[in-house]
Amino acid sequence: MKQNLFVYNTLTRTKEEFKPLNAPHVGMYVCGPTVYSDAHLGNCRTYISFDLIFRYLTLLGYKVRYVRNITDAGHLEGDADEGEDKISKKAKLSQLEPMEIVQKYTVGFRDVMKILNTLPPSIEPTATGHIIEQIEMVKEILAKGLAYEVNGSVYFDVEKYNQAQDYGILNGRHLEDLLTNTRTLGGQDEKRGKLDFALWIKAKPEHLMQWPSQWGMGFPGWHLECSAMSSKYLGHQFDIHGGGIDLMPTHHTNEIAQNVASCGKNPATYWMHTNMLTVNGTKMSKSLGNSFLPDELFTGNNSILNKPYSPMTVRFFMLQTHYRSTLDFSNDAMEASEKGFRRLMNAYELLDGLKASADTDVDVSAVQTRCYEAMNDDFNSPVLIAELFELSRVVNSVHDGKMQIDATNLELLKQTMHTFIEDVLGLKDEKAANDELPKVMEFIINLRSEAKTNKDYATSDKIRIGLQDIGFQLKDSKEGTTWNKV
Ligand code: AMP
Ligand code: ZN
């Protein structure tokens, strides 16, 4: 924590020194996925970016409580209270329970996050698990006179709120400007003002997920869950609130309004936004039909792709661009990342075999300082990666006998590469893992053969079924047993 970290704050539109409210504790809330479909590669970019932030803050010694919610109710198709609830709609189309949809895509999301080596958040609360807290917040806002009820729905009164507060504070825009540039939106006949948004929505009888409230059967508006859950787990004021930049103008603007209206405080000191993953310059989005899934990338199973790419290549590709810049997806860019990642990992593998000399041609501490400086400058991962390539050149030169390194510098080299490659960037050597797998499988298959020879069929079946459960299929033939990943 000796480092001075600077972060870009969307709220003030400047880079500021990071000073947590209750250091060493840091509260970080990131808007999570709406679990009505698989997370696409764009969503993954946002969560990889916050994973980098989580990892670096942890490295600096902060004790981070990272809360990332699961949106399982209330997110309508349109940004402004129009259309159907995304999860209910999917449930109807698939003839499944909404909670089956939620379960399926939550599990899928966690699997993908794990494959991409993102660390799990400290708390992963769901909207449906916090209906009471959301109803309480609606009551508080109503009690402050900043919301009104119409026919079983409750709306936030933006213009009234703006009399004493600054509704457009996050994107630095005046209310008049926002009012002029807003089209007429859903539920308008019930709303008093163009910018008003729903806190609680009256449910039609056929709506699948609805809860009783003092305003009748209904469900919470999407923005409300994050206000209610962030204050429940991180308090009325915490350090970082994040999400993709597309959430800034509406979702996060409304979240701030709800929190300020209910308890008088902007919930977060630092609002941080990741920029979009684009395809041919257009935001990757499910609704635009230009999205694809991480799994399609890992298998190469998409016509847009020339070949498959490994999870760590995908992660490296994302981290080679600063989180606040847009990142355009292309086969060329992926191929370049694949080469870069291999170059870095090849050097990393050589590290353990390097021998120290009495003399040194290199001062690793200067590069180590620059690695920290890069990350202290608003988590500048591309500059960090450039420094790591500098260290890779040192590794290769020492390995080839073109350069000497003494024991102190060699130790620092190992420590710096390990810390920044594995702990901060979250990259791991896939080759090593893949090389070891056949040996492990051979060992397990031999154990099973022994069990069979001893007529211990219970154990041999247990091994076969256990492997199948984790995705490995065994095939017995006269020649022996083979395995494949299913
Ligand atoms: P959603 O499930 O649509 O609510 O999105 C989950 C998260 O992914 C949000 O933080 C979005 O801002 C983010 N997101 C959506 N599309 C993209 C994209 N193309 N690039 C980066 N982040 C995105
Ligand atoms: Zn949110």
Side-chain angles (χ1 to χ4, degrees), residues 123-177:
I123 306 179
E124 206 175 32
T126 62
T128 55
H130 296 78
I131 299 294
I132 292 170
E133 288 82 350
Q134 295 180 74
I135 291 177
E136 281 308 307
M137 197 169 239
V138 179
K139 284 196 217 159
E140 282 163 16
I141 301 172
L142 276 167
K144 299 276 164 61
L146 293 170
Y148 53 91
E149 187 209 337
V150 183
N151 188 27
S153 292
V154 182
Y155 296 99
F156 191 95
D157 191 336
V158 172
E159 281 164 72
K160 189 160 179 206
Y161 168 82
N162 199 66
Q163 286 167 7
Q165 301 290 342
D166 181 3
Y167 175 71
I169 190 168
L170 193 57
N171 51 359
R173 291 180 66 183
H174 293 298
L175 191 75
E176 301 71 45
D177 180 21

Short mmCIF file of all heavy atoms in Angstrom, two decimals, residues 123-177:
data_model
loop_
_atom_site.label_atom_id
_atom_site.label_comp_id
_atom_site.label_asym_id
_atom_site.label_seq_id
_atom_site.Cartn_x
_atom_site.Cartn_y
_atom_site.Cartn_z
N ILE A 123 -19.12 -11.49 -2.73
CA ILE A 123 -20.56 -11.71 -2.55
C ILE A 123 -21.20 -11.60 -3.94
O ILE A 123 -20.84 -10.73 -4.72
CB ILE A 123 -21.20 -10.67 -1.60
CG1 ILE A 123 -20.46 -10.63 -0.26
CG2 ILE A 123 -22.69 -10.95 -1.37
CD1 ILE A 123 -21.00 -9.61 0.74
N GLU A 124 -22.13 -12.49 -4.22
CA GLU A 124 -22.81 -12.48 -5.53
C GLU A 124 -24.33 -12.47 -5.30
O GLU A 124 -24.99 -13.49 -5.47
CB GLU A 124 -22.38 -13.72 -6.31
CG GLU A 124 -22.46 -13.56 -7.80
CD GLU A 124 -21.90 -14.79 -8.53
OE1 GLU A 124 -22.01 -15.91 -8.00
OE2 GLU A 124 -21.37 -14.61 -9.64
N PRO A 125 -24.89 -11.36 -4.87
CA PRO A 125 -26.30 -11.34 -4.50
C PRO A 125 -27.23 -11.26 -5.72
O PRO A 125 -26.85 -10.75 -6.76
CB PRO A 125 -26.43 -10.07 -3.66
CG PRO A 125 -25.37 -9.17 -4.20
CD PRO A 125 -24.26 -10.04 -4.73
N THR A 126 -28.44 -11.77 -5.54
CA THR A 126 -29.40 -11.75 -6.65
C THR A 126 -30.53 -10.77 -6.36
O THR A 126 -30.88 -10.53 -5.21
CB THR A 126 -30.03 -13.14 -6.84
OG1 THR A 126 -30.76 -13.48 -5.65
CG2 THR A 126 -29.00 -14.21 -7.12
N ALA A 127 -31.13 -10.27 -7.44
CA ALA A 127 -32.25 -9.33 -7.29
C ALA A 127 -33.43 -10.01 -6.60
O ALA A 127 -34.07 -9.44 -5.71
CB ALA A 127 -32.66 -8.80 -8.66
N THR A 128 -33.72 -11.26 -7.00
CA THR A 128 -34.90 -11.93 -6.41
C THR A 128 -34.69 -12.24 -4.93
O THR A 128 -35.67 -12.40 -4.20
CB THR A 128 -35.22 -13.26 -7.15
OG1 THR A 128 -34.06 -14.08 -7.14
CG2 THR A 128 -35.68 -13.03 -8.57
N GLY A 129 -33.46 -12.31 -4.50
CA GLY A 129 -33.17 -12.56 -3.08
C GLY A 129 -33.25 -11.31 -2.24
O GLY A 129 -33.05 -11.37 -1.02
N HIS A 130 -33.53 -10.17 -2.86
CA HIS A 130 -33.52 -8.90 -2.13
C HIS A 130 -34.74 -8.05 -2.46
O HIS A 130 -34.64 -6.82 -2.63
CB HIS A 130 -32.21 -8.14 -2.42
CG HIS A 130 -31.01 -8.88 -1.94
ND1 HIS A 130 -30.48 -9.96 -2.62
CD2 HIS A 130 -30.29 -8.77 -0.80
CE1 HIS A 130 -29.46 -10.45 -1.94
NE2 HIS A 130 -29.32 -9.75 -0.83
N ILE A 131 -35.87 -8.71 -2.58
CA ILE A 131 -37.11 -7.97 -2.89
C ILE A 131 -37.51 -7.09 -1.70
O ILE A 131 -37.90 -5.92 -1.88
CB ILE A 131 -38.26 -8.96 -3.24
CG1 ILE A 131 -37.88 -9.80 -4.47
CG2 ILE A 131 -39.57 -8.21 -3.45
CD1 ILE A 131 -37.74 -9.05 -5.77
N ILE A 132 -37.35 -7.61 -0.50
CA ILE A 132 -37.74 -6.84 0.70
C ILE A 132 -36.93 -5.55 0.79
O ILE A 132 -37.47 -4.47 1.01
CB ILE A 132 -37.58 -7.70 1.97
CG1 ILE A 132 -38.62 -8.83 1.94
CG2 ILE A 132 -37.74 -6.87 3.25
CD1 ILE A 132 -38.43 -9.90 2.98
N GLU A 133 -35.61 -5.68 0.60
CA GLU A 133 -34.74 -4.50 0.66
C GLU A 133 -35.13 -3.47 -0.41
O GLU A 133 -35.09 -2.27 -0.18
CB GLU A 133 -33.27 -4.90 0.45
CG GLU A 133 -32.63 -5.66 1.59
CD GLU A 133 -32.95 -7.15 1.60
OE1 GLU A 133 -33.82 -7.61 0.82
OE2 GLU A 133 -32.32 -7.87 2.39
N GLN A 134 -35.55 -3.99 -1.58
CA GLN A 134 -35.91 -3.06 -2.66
C GLN A 134 -37.23 -2.35 -2.34
O GLN A 134 -37.38 -1.16 -2.56
CB GLN A 134 -35.99 -3.82 -3.99
CG GLN A 134 -34.62 -4.35 -4.40
CD GLN A 134 -34.64 -5.11 -5.71
OE1 GLN A 134 -34.73 -4.51 -6.77
NE2 GLN A 134 -34.57 -6.42 -5.65
N ILE A 135 -38.17 -3.11 -1.79
CA ILE A 135 -39.45 -2.48 -1.41
C ILE A 135 -39.20 -1.41 -0.33
O ILE A 135 -39.75 -0.31 -0.39
CB ILE A 135 -40.46 -3.57 -0.92
CG1 ILE A 135 -40.89 -4.44 -2.11
CG2 ILE A 135 -41.67 -2.93 -0.25
CD1 ILE A 135 -41.82 -5.60 -1.76
N GLU A 136 -38.31 -1.73 0.61
CA GLU A 136 -37.99 -0.75 1.66
C GLU A 136 -37.44 0.53 1.05
O GLU A 136 -37.76 1.64 1.48
CB GLU A 136 -36.94 -1.34 2.63
CG GLU A 136 -37.52 -2.29 3.66
CD GLU A 136 -38.71 -1.70 4.42
OE1 GLU A 136 -38.58 -0.60 4.97
OE2 GLU A 136 -39.79 -2.34 4.43
N MET A 137 -36.59 0.38 0.04
CA MET A 137 -35.99 1.56 -0.57
C MET A 137 -37.05 2.40 -1.31
O MET A 137 -37.02 3.62 -1.26
CB MET A 137 -34.86 1.15 -1.52
CG MET A 137 -33.95 2.30 -1.86
SD MET A 137 -32.46 1.73 -2.70
CE MET A 137 -31.19 2.30 -1.62
N VAL A 138 -37.99 1.72 -1.94
CA VAL A 138 -39.08 2.46 -2.62
C VAL A 138 -39.84 3.26 -1.57
O VAL A 138 -40.15 4.45 -1.78
CB VAL A 138 -40.04 1.49 -3.35
CG1 VAL A 138 -41.17 2.27 -4.02
CG2 VAL A 138 -39.29 0.66 -4.39
N LYS A 139 -40.10 2.64 -0.42
CA LYS A 139 -40.85 3.33 0.64
C LYS A 139 -40.08 4.57 1.11
O LYS A 139 -40.66 5.62 1.33
CB LYS A 139 -41.05 2.38 1.83
CG LYS A 139 -42.13 1.33 1.60
CD LYS A 139 -42.50 0.74 2.96
CE LYS A 139 -42.77 -0.73 2.87
NZ LYS A 139 -42.66 -1.44 4.14
N GLU A 140 -38.75 4.41 1.25
CA GLU A 140 -37.93 5.55 1.71
C GLU A 140 -37.99 6.70 0.70
O GLU A 140 -38.12 7.86 1.07
CB GLU A 140 -36.47 5.11 1.88
CG GLU A 140 -36.22 4.34 3.17
CD GLU A 140 -34.89 3.56 3.15
OE1 GLU A 140 -34.03 3.86 2.28
OE2 GLU A 140 -34.75 2.65 3.97
N ILE A 141 -37.93 6.35 -0.57
CA ILE A 141 -37.94 7.40 -1.60
C ILE A 141 -39.32 8.08 -1.64
O ILE A 141 -39.43 9.30 -1.77
CB ILE A 141 -37.51 6.84 -2.98
CG1 ILE A 141 -36.10 6.23 -2.89
CG2 ILE A 141 -37.56 7.92 -4.06
CD1 ILE A 141 -35.62 5.48 -4.12
N LEU A 142 -40.35 7.27 -1.49
CA LEU A 142 -41.72 7.83 -1.43
C LEU A 142 -41.85 8.77 -0.23
O LEU A 142 -42.41 9.88 -0.33
CB LEU A 142 -42.76 6.71 -1.30
CG LEU A 142 -43.22 6.03 -2.59
CD1 LEU A 142 -43.98 4.75 -2.27
CD2 LEU A 142 -44.08 6.96 -3.45
N ALA A 143 -41.29 8.33 0.91
CA ALA A 143 -41.39 9.13 2.14
C ALA A 143 -40.68 10.48 1.98
O ALA A 143 -41.07 11.48 2.59
CB ALA A 143 -40.80 8.36 3.31
N LYS A 144 -39.65 10.50 1.13
CA LYS A 144 -38.92 11.77 0.91
C LYS A 144 -39.64 12.63 -0.13
O LYS A 144 -39.18 13.71 -0.47
CB LYS A 144 -37.50 11.49 0.42
CG LYS A 144 -36.65 10.69 1.39
CD LYS A 144 -36.00 11.59 2.43
CE LYS A 144 -35.45 10.85 3.63
NZ LYS A 144 -34.40 9.88 3.40
N GLY A 145 -40.74 12.11 -0.66
CA GLY A 145 -41.52 12.88 -1.64
C GLY A 145 -40.90 12.91 -3.02
O GLY A 145 -41.23 13.75 -3.85
N LEU A 146 -40.00 11.96 -3.30
CA LEU A 146 -39.31 12.00 -4.59
C LEU A 146 -39.77 10.90 -5.54
O LEU A 146 -39.13 10.62 -6.55
CB LEU A 146 -37.80 11.93 -4.36
CG LEU A 146 -37.25 13.19 -3.66
CD1 LEU A 146 -35.81 12.99 -3.23
CD2 LEU A 146 -37.36 14.41 -4.58
N ALA A 147 -40.89 10.24 -5.16
CA ALA A 147 -41.47 9.23 -6.06
C ALA A 147 -42.99 9.32 -5.90
O ALA A 147 -43.48 9.93 -4.94
CB ALA A 147 -40.98 7.85 -5.67
N TYR A 148 -43.71 8.76 -6.85
CA TYR A 148 -45.17 8.81 -6.78
C TYR A 148 -45.73 7.50 -7.32
O TYR A 148 -45.10 6.82 -8.14
CB TYR A 148 -45.71 10.01 -7.58
CG TYR A 148 -45.20 10.05 -9.01
CD1 TYR A 148 -45.90 9.44 -10.05
CD2 TYR A 148 -43.99 10.68 -9.32
CE1 TYR A 148 -45.43 9.46 -11.36
CE2 TYR A 148 -43.50 10.70 -10.63
CZ TYR A 148 -44.22 10.09 -11.63
OH TYR A 148 -43.74 10.09 -12.92
N GLU A 149 -46.91 7.15 -6.81
CA GLU A 149 -47.53 5.90 -7.21
C GLU A 149 -48.64 6.18 -8.21
O GLU A 149 -49.42 7.12 -8.04
CB GLU A 149 -48.12 5.19 -5.98
CG GLU A 149 -48.62 3.81 -6.32
CD GLU A 149 -49.77 3.36 -5.43
OE1 GLU A 149 -49.92 3.87 -4.31
OE2 GLU A 149 -50.55 2.51 -5.90
N VAL A 150 -48.71 5.40 -9.27
CA VAL A 150 -49.81 5.50 -10.22
C VAL A 150 -50.26 4.08 -10.53
O VAL A 150 -49.47 3.28 -11.05
CB VAL A 150 -49.38 6.17 -11.55
CG1 VAL A 150 -50.58 6.32 -12.50
CG2 VAL A 150 -48.73 7.50 -11.33
N ASN A 151 -51.46 3.77 -10.18
CA ASN A 151 -52.06 2.51 -10.61
C ASN A 151 -51.18 1.28 -10.32
O ASN A 151 -50.97 0.44 -11.20
CB ASN A 151 -52.36 2.64 -12.12
CG ASN A 151 -53.16 1.47 -12.64
OD1 ASN A 151 -53.91 0.85 -11.88
ND2 ASN A 151 -52.98 1.15 -13.92
N GLY A 152 -50.63 1.22 -9.12
CA GLY A 152 -49.85 0.04 -8.72
C GLY A 152 -48.39 0.07 -9.11
O GLY A 152 -47.63 -0.84 -8.78
N SER A 153 -47.97 1.11 -9.85
CA SER A 153 -46.53 1.26 -10.16
C SER A 153 -46.01 2.49 -9.43
O SER A 153 -46.77 3.42 -9.15
CB SER A 153 -46.31 1.46 -11.66
OG SER A 153 -46.63 0.28 -12.37
N VAL A 154 -44.72 2.49 -9.13
CA VAL A 154 -44.12 3.65 -8.46
C VAL A 154 -43.00 4.20 -9.35
O VAL A 154 -42.15 3.43 -9.83
CB VAL A 154 -43.55 3.27 -7.07
CG1 VAL A 154 -42.97 4.50 -6.37
CG2 VAL A 154 -44.61 2.60 -6.20
N TYR A 155 -43.04 5.50 -9.58
CA TYR A 155 -42.03 6.14 -10.45
C TYR A 155 -41.20 7.15 -9.67
O TYR A 155 -41.70 7.82 -8.76
CB TYR A 155 -42.71 6.85 -11.62
CG TYR A 155 -43.45 5.89 -12.53
CD1 TYR A 155 -44.84 5.73 -12.40
CD2 TYR A 155 -42.77 5.14 -13.46
CE1 TYR A 155 -45.52 4.83 -13.23
CE2 TYR A 155 -43.43 4.23 -14.28
CZ TYR A 155 -44.80 4.09 -14.15
OH TYR A 155 -45.46 3.19 -14.96
N PHE A 156 -39.95 7.26 -10.07
CA PHE A 156 -39.04 8.25 -9.48
C PHE A 156 -39.28 9.58 -10.19
O PHE A 156 -39.31 9.65 -11.41
CB PHE A 156 -37.59 7.79 -9.70
CG PHE A 156 -36.59 8.59 -8.93
CD1 PHE A 156 -36.14 8.16 -7.69
CD2 PHE A 156 -36.08 9.79 -9.44
CE1 PHE A 156 -35.20 8.89 -6.98
CE2 PHE A 156 -35.16 10.53 -8.73
CZ PHE A 156 -34.71 10.09 -7.50
N ASP A 157 -39.43 10.65 -9.38
CA ASP A 157 -39.72 11.97 -9.94
C ASP A 157 -38.39 12.72 -10.19
O ASP A 157 -37.86 13.39 -9.30
CB ASP A 157 -40.60 12.75 -8.95
CG ASP A 157 -41.17 14.01 -9.57
OD1 ASP A 157 -40.56 14.54 -10.53
OD2 ASP A 157 -42.23 14.47 -9.10
N VAL A 158 -37.89 12.59 -11.41
CA VAL A 158 -36.56 13.12 -11.72
C VAL A 158 -36.52 14.65 -11.61
O VAL A 158 -35.59 15.23 -11.03
CB VAL A 158 -36.09 12.65 -13.12
CG1 VAL A 158 -34.81 13.36 -13.54
CG2 VAL A 158 -35.87 11.14 -13.12
N GLU A 159 -37.53 15.31 -12.13
CA GLU A 159 -37.47 16.78 -12.13
C GLU A 159 -37.53 17.35 -10.71
O GLU A 159 -36.83 18.31 -10.38
CB GLU A 159 -38.56 17.36 -13.02
CG GLU A 159 -38.12 17.26 -14.49
CD GLU A 159 -39.25 17.45 -15.48
OE1 GLU A 159 -39.71 18.59 -15.62
OE2 GLU A 159 -39.66 16.45 -16.11
N LYS A 160 -38.33 16.72 -9.86
CA LYS A 160 -38.41 17.18 -8.47
C LYS A 160 -37.06 16.93 -7.77
O LYS A 160 -36.57 17.80 -7.05
CB LYS A 160 -39.53 16.44 -7.74
CG LYS A 160 -39.81 17.00 -6.38
CD LYS A 160 -41.16 16.62 -5.88
CE LYS A 160 -41.39 17.18 -4.49
NZ LYS A 160 -42.34 16.40 -3.73
N TYR A 161 -36.50 15.76 -8.02
CA TYR A 161 -35.20 15.42 -7.42
C TYR A 161 -34.15 16.43 -7.84
O TYR A 161 -33.33 16.90 -7.05
CB TYR A 161 -34.80 14.01 -7.88
CG TYR A 161 -33.37 13.60 -7.60
CD1 TYR A 161 -33.00 13.12 -6.36
CD2 TYR A 161 -32.39 13.68 -8.60
CE1 TYR A 161 -31.69 12.72 -6.10
CE2 TYR A 161 -31.09 13.30 -8.35
CZ TYR A 161 -30.74 12.82 -7.10
OH TYR A 161 -29.43 12.42 -6.86
N ASN A 162 -34.22 16.84 -9.11
CA ASN A 162 -33.20 17.74 -9.65
C ASN A 162 -33.30 19.17 -9.09
O ASN A 162 -32.39 19.96 -9.25
CB ASN A 162 -33.31 17.75 -11.18
CG ASN A 162 -32.04 18.27 -11.83
OD1 ASN A 162 -31.00 17.63 -11.74
ND2 ASN A 162 -32.12 19.44 -12.45
N GLN A 163 -34.42 19.47 -8.41
CA GLN A 163 -34.53 20.82 -7.83
C GLN A 163 -33.45 21.02 -6.76
O GLN A 163 -32.91 22.12 -6.60
CB GLN A 163 -35.92 21.02 -7.21
CG GLN A 163 -37.00 21.21 -8.28
CD GLN A 163 -38.40 21.09 -7.71
OE1 GLN A 163 -38.60 20.99 -6.50
NE2 GLN A 163 -39.38 21.09 -8.59
N ALA A 164 -33.15 19.95 -6.01
CA ALA A 164 -32.14 20.09 -4.95
C ALA A 164 -30.85 19.35 -5.28
O ALA A 164 -29.83 19.57 -4.64
CB ALA A 164 -32.71 19.57 -3.64
N GLN A 165 -30.90 18.45 -6.27
CA GLN A 165 -29.74 17.62 -6.60
C GLN A 165 -29.41 17.76 -8.08
O GLN A 165 -30.15 18.40 -8.81
CB GLN A 165 -30.06 16.15 -6.28
CG GLN A 165 -30.43 15.87 -4.85
CD GLN A 165 -29.24 16.02 -3.90
OE1 GLN A 165 -28.09 16.01 -4.33
NE2 GLN A 165 -29.53 16.16 -2.62
N ASP A 166 -28.31 17.11 -8.46
CA ASP A 166 -27.90 17.20 -9.86
C ASP A 166 -28.08 15.81 -10.49
O ASP A 166 -27.22 14.95 -10.35
CB ASP A 166 -26.43 17.64 -9.89
CG ASP A 166 -25.90 17.77 -11.30
OD1 ASP A 166 -26.70 17.58 -12.25
OD2 ASP A 166 -24.70 18.06 -11.47
N TYR A 167 -29.21 15.63 -11.19
CA TYR A 167 -29.51 14.30 -11.75
C TYR A 167 -28.45 13.85 -12.76
O TYR A 167 -28.08 12.68 -12.80
CB TYR A 167 -30.91 14.32 -12.40
CG TYR A 167 -31.26 13.04 -13.12
CD1 TYR A 167 -31.54 11.88 -12.42
CD2 TYR A 167 -31.30 12.99 -14.53
CE1 TYR A 167 -31.84 10.69 -13.07
CE2 TYR A 167 -31.61 11.80 -15.19
CZ TYR A 167 -31.87 10.66 -14.45
OH TYR A 167 -32.17 9.49 -15.10
N GLY A 168 -27.96 14.79 -13.57
CA GLY A 168 -27.01 14.40 -14.64
C GLY A 168 -25.55 14.43 -14.19
O GLY A 168 -24.65 14.52 -15.02
N ILE A 169 -25.32 14.33 -12.88
CA ILE A 169 -23.95 14.51 -12.34
C ILE A 169 -22.94 13.53 -12.95
O ILE A 169 -21.80 13.90 -13.23
CB ILE A 169 -23.97 14.38 -10.79
CG1 ILE A 169 -22.62 14.80 -10.20
CG2 ILE A 169 -24.37 12.99 -10.31
CD1 ILE A 169 -22.63 14.98 -8.69
N LEU A 170 -23.37 12.30 -13.22
CA LEU A 170 -22.42 11.29 -13.68
C LEU A 170 -21.92 11.56 -15.10
O LEU A 170 -20.75 11.40 -15.40
CB LEU A 170 -23.04 9.89 -13.58
CG LEU A 170 -22.10 8.71 -13.71
CD1 LEU A 170 -20.97 8.76 -12.69
CD2 LEU A 170 -22.85 7.39 -13.56
N ASN A 171 -22.84 11.98 -15.98
CA ASN A 171 -22.35 12.26 -17.34
C ASN A 171 -22.19 13.75 -17.61
O ASN A 171 -21.99 14.15 -18.76
CB ASN A 171 -23.21 11.56 -18.42
CG ASN A 171 -24.67 11.82 -18.25
OD1 ASN A 171 -25.07 12.51 -17.32
ND2 ASN A 171 -25.49 11.30 -19.16
N GLY A 172 -22.26 14.54 -16.55
CA GLY A 172 -21.97 15.97 -16.69
C GLY A 172 -22.93 16.69 -17.61
O GLY A 172 -22.54 17.59 -18.36
N ARG A 173 -24.21 16.31 -17.57
CA ARG A 173 -25.18 16.98 -18.44
C ARG A 173 -26.29 17.60 -17.62
O ARG A 173 -26.68 17.10 -16.58
CB ARG A 173 -25.75 15.98 -19.44
CG ARG A 173 -24.68 15.55 -20.43
CD ARG A 173 -25.20 14.57 -21.40
NE ARG A 173 -26.21 15.13 -22.28
CZ ARG A 173 -26.85 14.40 -23.19
NH1 ARG A 173 -26.58 13.13 -23.31
NH2 ARG A 173 -27.76 14.95 -23.97
N HIS A 174 -26.80 18.74 -18.13
CA HIS A 174 -27.89 19.42 -17.43
C HIS A 174 -29.21 18.75 -17.74
O HIS A 174 -29.41 18.20 -18.81
CB HIS A 174 -27.96 20.89 -17.86
CG HIS A 174 -26.77 21.66 -17.40
ND1 HIS A 174 -26.47 21.82 -16.07
CD2 HIS A 174 -25.80 22.30 -18.09
CE1 HIS A 174 -25.35 22.51 -15.97
NE2 HIS A 174 -24.92 22.81 -17.18
N LEU A 175 -30.15 18.91 -16.80
CA LEU A 175 -31.44 18.26 -16.95
C LEU A 175 -32.17 18.75 -18.23
O LEU A 175 -32.75 17.96 -18.96
CB LEU A 175 -32.32 18.54 -15.72
CG LEU A 175 -33.57 17.69 -15.67
CD1 LEU A 175 -33.22 16.28 -15.26
CD2 LEU A 175 -34.59 18.26 -14.70
N GLU A 176 -32.07 20.06 -18.50
CA GLU A 176 -32.77 20.63 -19.68
C GLU A 176 -32.28 19.92 -20.94
O GLU A 176 -33.06 19.58 -21.82
CB GLU A 176 -32.51 22.14 -19.83
CG GLU A 176 -32.93 23.01 -18.66
CD GLU A 176 -32.05 22.84 -17.42
OE1 GLU A 176 -30.81 22.81 -17.57
OE2 GLU A 176 -32.61 22.69 -16.31
N ASP A 177 -30.97 19.74 -20.98
CA ASP A 177 -30.33 19.09 -22.12
C ASP A 177 -30.85 17.65 -22.24
O ASP A 177 -31.22 17.18 -23.33
CB ASP A 177 -28.83 19.13 -21.82
CG ASP A 177 -28.00 18.49 -22.90
OD1 ASP A 177 -28.53 18.39 -24.01
OD2 ASP A 177 -26.85 18.09 -22.62
#
